[in-house]
Amino acid sequence: MAKRIQFSRNGGPEVLDVQEFTPQDPGAGELQVENKAIGINYIDTYVRSGLYPAPLPSGLGTEAAGVVVKTGPGVSGFKPGDRVVYAQSALGAYSSLHNVAAEKVAQLPAAISFEQAAASFLKGLTVHYLLRQTYEIQPDETFLFHAASGGVGLIACQWAKALGAHLIGTVGSEEKAQRAKQAGAWATINYRQQNVAQRLAELTDNKKVRVVYDSVGKDTWEASLDCLQPRGLMVSFGNSSGPVTGVNLAILNQKGSLYVTRPSLNGYITRHDELVAASNELFSLIASGAIKVDVPENQKFALSDVQKAHTALESRATQGSCLLIP
């Protein structure tokens, strides 16, 4: 028997239950992966709460690293025993065994541990599409990135430094500011103590920035727009404070003929070759040490402690990535 997390109603962490189940053999084009480490991502809380609806009862999670134990009909390029990682599976990665479409799986280099991979794959692929595709950050470019001490933010700080760019990160405490700076942030803004748009203007000699990356949503929407140069780009890629709704498009005109996009990873990685290209760039940065992925011991949770894990994530008490260990 294997174990997995399921929920039968939407709500808080208390709706998550551990269940035993008999795994089915992988279907055509699928791999069965024995998960060694499972990534916990903020988007999982959106699915659990019902902000992103899923048919109930439902599994949870889309990211993990582990070992292939079986291959389904028609699979090529993978075999039992391969070390692999995935981040775009069907819901159900919070599980000791998970069947995953092979096109969503990447080979994991020996230099990268299962925990490093599960802690960084979805977040790293997200940073890749944000900084390399949605808007291509250039050397010496200054830009704003909200939640710079979060899992995505810390990878973004390191990736920006590797690109020779100047990331200004918003944070909620001095401790988080120090963590972002250690990761490579050029400057930080404490949104609890400082006016974000005003402080950013000071940091940029009133030039502001060409692009803002915002995963917070409702609470930072207008402040983000106020940080942009004329014809600048607002990249809204998350809703940790709630979704941005009821947008008056005229505000984009009033604040400088601005652009706004609401991208997602699934819009940028649609084929296996795109996944391989993005993961190769991410893995090369991790292997070289340019991006370090360290998960604190108190942010590693047993599968049976999933409720504690979600509570910690939503409390904003965590820094960087959290993991479930089956």
Side-chain angles (χ1 to χ4, degrees):
M1 298 290 284
K3 291 185 177 181
R4 64 186 175 195
I5 301 302
Q6 280 200 323
F7 61 105
S8 300
R9 58 188 174 89
N10 297 120
E14 71 279 356
V15 304
L16 300 175
D17 293 318
V18 182
Q19 295 186 351
E20 290 191 341
F21 74 104
T22 302
Q24 295 184 340
D25 286 338
E30 289 185 335
L31 306 174
Q32 186 170 93
V33 179
E34 181 183 358
N35 292 333
K36 300 296 187 180
I38 301 161
I40 304 173
N41 295 285
Y42 212 93
I43 194 172
D44 301 341
T45 70
Y46 300 160
V47 176
R48 186 207 71 219
S49 70
L51 178 63
Y52 290 0
L56 298 178
S58 176
L60 196 60
T62 62
E63 174 184 37
V67 176
V68 176
V69 291
K70 292 181 181 180
T71 61
V75 170
S76 61
F78 295 95
K79 65 183 185 305
D82 282 353
R83 302 173 77 252
V84 295
V85 60
Y86 58 88
Q88 295 172 287
S89 77
L91 290 175
Y94 285 19
S95 177
S96 57
L97 282 176
H98 191 35
N99 292 347
V100 188
E103 65 179 10
K104 304 296 186 183
V105 178
Q107 297 278 2
L108 182 61
I112 299 172
S113 72
F114 294 121
E115 291 189 2
Q116 285 178 310
S120 68
F121 201 48
L122 179 62
K123 299 171 184 70
L125 294 179
T126 297
V127 174
H128 179 271
Y129 87 73
L130 291 172
L131 272 55
R132 308 291 286 146
Q133 295 179 280
T134 304
Y135 177 99
E136 190 169 359
I137 295 295
Q138 300 299 315
D140 294 322
E141 180 156 20
T142 301
F143 64 99
L144 180 66
F145 203 101
H146 285 288
S149 70
V152 173
L154 288 174
I155 292 176
C157 289
Q158 296 176 82
W159 208 313
K161 184 178 181 180
L163 293 171
H166 300 151
L167 181 149
I168 300 173
T170 66
V171 295
S173 69
E174 182 56 33
E175 182 185 5
K176 291 187 175 184
Q178 289 303 314
R179 189 169 175 86
K181 287 177 183 176
Q182 289 169 2
W186 176 70
T188 58
I189 300 172
N190 186 332
Y191 63 83
R192 297 187 192 277
Q193 299 175 350
Q194 298 169 298
N195 178 292
V196 172
Q198 181 179 324
R199 181 58 183 148
L200 179 128
E202 294 170 357
L203 288 167
T204 60
D205 295 326
N206 288 315
K207 294 177 183 177
K208 301 188 179 181
V209 294
R210 291 278 299 156
V211 63
V212 172
Y213 297 98
D214 190 336
S215 62
V216 179
K218 179 180 65 176
D219 288 355
T220 50
W221 165 251
E222 287 226 26
S224 292
L225 298 182
D226 288 336
C227 291
L228 287 166
Q229 297 172 7
R231 300 186 303 281
L233 175 63
M234 163 65 164
V235 183
S236 176
F237 70 100
N239 316 286
S240 63
S241 70
V244 177
T245 59
V247 175
N248 174 11
L249 290 179
I251 198 172
L252 304 179
N253 171 34
Q254 295 160 9
K255 294 183 181 293
S257 298
L258 303 178
Y259 294 86
V260 176
T261 184
R262 183 61 175 86
S264 70
L265 180 61
N266 290 337
Y268 282 87
I269 294 183
T270 61
R271 305 188 310 267
H272 194 255
D273 63 310
E274 294 172 334
L275 175 64
V276 170
S279 59
N280 284 347
E281 189 169 350
L282 172 64
F283 291 152
S284 68
L285 288 168
I286 295 174
S288 73
I291 291 179
K292 294 181 173 60
V293 185
D294 298 313
V295 181
E297 286 300 319
N298 66 348
Q299 291 179 201
K300 299 176 186 177
F301 300 86
L303 197 62
S304 57
D305 288 331
V306 64
Q307 294 184 10
K308 291 182 182 178
H310 271 230
T311 298
L313 183 66
E314 291 182 295
S315 72
R316 300 197 182 189
T318 62
Q319 295 186 353
S321 300
C322 297
L323 294 176
L324 292 173
I325 308 298

